Amino acid sequence: MRWQGQELGVADAAALPGMEQLNGLVRSVTTPEFAGVTFHEVLCKSALNHVPSASAMPFDWTVNPYRGCSHACVYCLHPDTLVLMAEGRSKRIGDIRPGDEVVGTRREGTYRRYVRATVSAQWRTRKRAYRIRLADDTELIASGDHRFLTERGWKYVQAAAPGEAQRPYLTTNNKLMGFGLGGTRPAPDETDDYRVGYLCGMIRGDAMMLRREYPRSNGRGTYLASRFRLALADHEALHRARDYLERAGVSTITRAFAPATDRRRAIEAIFTSKSADFDVITSTVGWPSAPSPEWSRGFLAGVFDAEGSYSRGILRISNKSPQMLDAIGAAFTAHQFDFIVEPVRPNGVTSIRLLGGLAARRRFFELAQPAISRKLNLIGDAVKSDAPLRVVSIDDLGETIDMVDITTSTGDFIANGVVSHNCFARGTHEYLELDAGRDFDTQVVVKINVADVLEKELRRGSWQRDPVMLGTNTDPYQRAEGRYKLMPGIVSALTASGTPFSILTKGTLLRRDLPMLKDAAASVRVTLAMSIAVFDDELQHLIEPGTPNATARLETVRAATEAGFRVTVFLMPIIPHLTDSIAAIDHALTHIKEAGAVRVVYGALHLRPGAKQWFLEWLEQRHPELVSSYRGLYPGMSANAPKAYKAWLAKRVRPLLRVHGLDGRAEDDQPRGAPVAGLAARADARAASIVVTSRGRAAAARPAGAGRATPAATPLF
């Protein structure tokens, strides 16, 4: 393995906000074998972690040599990719922050619909870049492992690498879901022409301008009165108009115009009665002889804010003035929008209706940038469009570039107008005191001196030799352990101090240390546990690709057993309709018993928010016949399988555990306080969490509080 060390410089600190304050940072290391992952080697001040007294964990002390898991985050997009915000505007994904509200999607009945989604994390990485071009000229730059929603479900940009499990991937003629950008680029900064056009559309559309002569009160002649007023319920547009007028040299007074009622919002107005101001406004809103594209863009924004509507998927701009209607049509034509002029209504108003469906409406909003947010809202609309979103090409750009991804509460977001899968932040990340946007997956903190610090802490006179648990937060046998070799020093320190300890892992690297662990067990109590969820190889490749399969983990159990350990296996989660048949459970228990394990702990699938939506979509692709059943088992926001299902599962599993001698009765004489034994005893009542792998599929799970995932998989929530 080739490791390339590099000092943490300004660029590194910028890529990892807050890391510059990390105490004891020695260096940051990258390696081609862990593309996109940076290992931050630190000198820690403490190694023993005390579990809070309020915790339900059946142990008091843990040691965690790593913070984070050493597999790369696989989803990512170019930082300039436009993400649709819940307010209706777009923002660069590079500017998105946790807490922002974006537009996601959720299936509701027959249709998938646009819904509000909250961003929980944003982070950066470096990936090989691919450009996807669509028939409407929309372009997306993404990693090969990013996924987009097509008419045939979620598909990756690129096929799986040779030797990995196959996965659905984009090909030409696949159609993406969404509305696209139609070649629209991010709106340029506001120009003077745009501002003048906006004021023309807004003031001609909705303002009152009056100039006339009035007799003086003393009867001595007349005076010329000038009055300007713009009254709106939407303060965004009113404030924009006031700002643009100030830039033109016109100062206005803001006043309340009409109070709110049960049927109407409060209205504010801006006023001026100065003759000079009136002259400036009159000049500003005059018709240009040759409107520039920027003037037309601003005019469309202003007249839409003044007299536009967006209801039931239809965008209209209405007016009585033939001159205004002609100007609206000319501005639409200047920016290549199709429209029709509807028949005149009885009140004399004519409406111009934009054609082209949601794709055209979104292009209008992105181009014109009107001020009123509520008119941009598409929340609740169905995800369906006639936009030509067929993939016409997928090109390898041949370079590795900076990329960004976010995590949302719906598991997706709208990227350049198409539905994009996101990378999930894991709920356990907060439990780990790690920031999902900095440390999780791509930023792994390695406590390189953990063994030395632990040895000093264990020599303190106050240390009571309480049992210590390894693998409750991050798996101590993740891939990076193959290079750092921290566990031998930890095991040696615990053994020398006479401290009993337990290890919970999914990693087969445990076999490396079995001779040392066997020697340690001669002096202190050492207990081992292995997590194995899926025993069908085909299903295992679909659910947790890239992870050691059941056979490899069972060989590790067998090796530990032959070394003299009584091993517990966590059969978690048991997945309804996929791994909960008597035959499947019996098959698993048979092989676990043959490997030499003495106890099995089981638990039903647990679907937390975000994981649930993603898993149901995975089912729609792989097992559509099970979707309705899962919606019944996990209705609404429910994360736990219903009690009836758990009772049904218990009636299946417990007799089989007794038949195979894996119900733990032989372990009942263990001394209290053995961490793995205690954890196993409580785990029957705890649910397992879905995990997502480096290839983005649903992966096997672990019990809450148990070890982190194997080298290529990390806990999802």
Side-chain angles (χ1 to χ4, degrees), residues 369-411:
Q369 295 288 307
I372 302 175
S373 298
R374 66 176 179 83
K375 292 185 178 183
L376 314 183
N377 191 359
L378 53 70
I379 301 300
D381 288 359
V383 182
K384 55 181 181 179
S385 170
D386 295 329
L389 300 182
R390 175 177 54 84
V391 176
V392 296
S393 66
I394 304 170
D395 301 313
D396 185 346
L397 298 184
E399 60 178 335
T400 297
I401 66 172
D402 292 329
M403 291 191 181
V404 181
D405 206 353
I406 59 176
T407 294
T408 74
S409 56
T410 58

Side-chain angles (χ1 to χ4, degrees), residues 145 147 154-156 158-171 537-546 618 621-622 693 695-698:
D145 295 307
R147 285 190 293 167
W154 293 102
K155 290 194 175 184
Y156 294 85
Q158 291 287 294
E164 296 182 354
Q166 292 303 303
R167 65 189 189 185
Y169 60 94
L170 293 178
T171 60
D537 285 344
E538 182 178 356
L539 181 61
Q540 192 268 343
H541 282 303
L542 290 173
I543 290 183
E544 47 177 14
W618 180 84
Q621 296 178 42
R622 295 292 180 173
T693 73
R695 294 303 176 194
R697 299 180 177 89

Side-chain angles (χ1 to χ4, degrees), residues 571 585-586 589-590 592-593 597-602 647-666 668 684:
L571 182 62
I585 297 168
D586 185 64
L589 296 180
T590 297
I592 291 171
K593 185 66 176 180
V598 297
R599 179 188 176 92
V600 165
V601 176
Y602 73 96
W648 175 88
L649 185 62
K651 289 180 180 179
R652 288 197 157 195
V653 177
R654 288 176 180 172
L656 290 172
L657 289 176
R658 288 194 294 271
V659 167
H660 289 281
L662 293 170
D663 56 353
R665 294 188 179 187
D668 287 344
D684 292 298

Side-chain angles (χ1 to χ4, degrees), residues 338-379:
D338 294 326
F339 62 92
I340 61 171
V341 179
E342 297 181 336
V344 181
R345 285 180 251 168
N347 62 359
V349 172
T350 298
S351 294
I352 294 180
R353 185 174 73 182
L354 184 68
L355 301 179
L358 180 58
R361 296 193 299 273
R362 288 307 315 169
R363 189 166 76 85
F364 172 83
F365 292 142
E366 296 292 348
L367 176 81
Q369 295 288 307
I372 302 175
S373 298
R374 66 176 179 83
K375 292 185 178 183
L376 314 183
N377 191 359
L378 53 70
I379 301 300

Side-chain angles (χ1 to χ4, degrees), residues 450-526:
V450 65
D452 293 337
V453 173
L454 177 63
E455 183 179 1
K456 293 178 182 178
E457 291 178 332
L458 296 175
R459 286 203 301 264
R460 293 173 182 167
S462 59
W463 177 243
Q464 299 297 309
R465 296 178 176 78
D466 295 324
V468 172
M469 183 68 179
L470 294 143
T472 59
N473 284 352
T474 52
D475 197 320
Y477 286 107
Q478 59 180 278
R479 276 199 304 161
E481 171 62 16
R483 188 268 179 183
Y484 283 105
K485 298 180 176 64
L486 301 180
M487 282 298 290
I490 293 172
V491 169
S492 177
L494 291 168
T495 305
S497 69
T499 300
F501 61 93
S502 299
I503 298 173
L504 176 60
T505 183
K506 288 183 179 180
T508 55
L509 189 59
L510 173 72
R511 297 176 66 176
R512 180 199 67 189
D513 292 346
L514 282 177
M516 170 176 276
L517 291 169
K518 183 177 179 180
D519 290 342
S523 303
V524 298
R525 183 174 183 81
V526 179

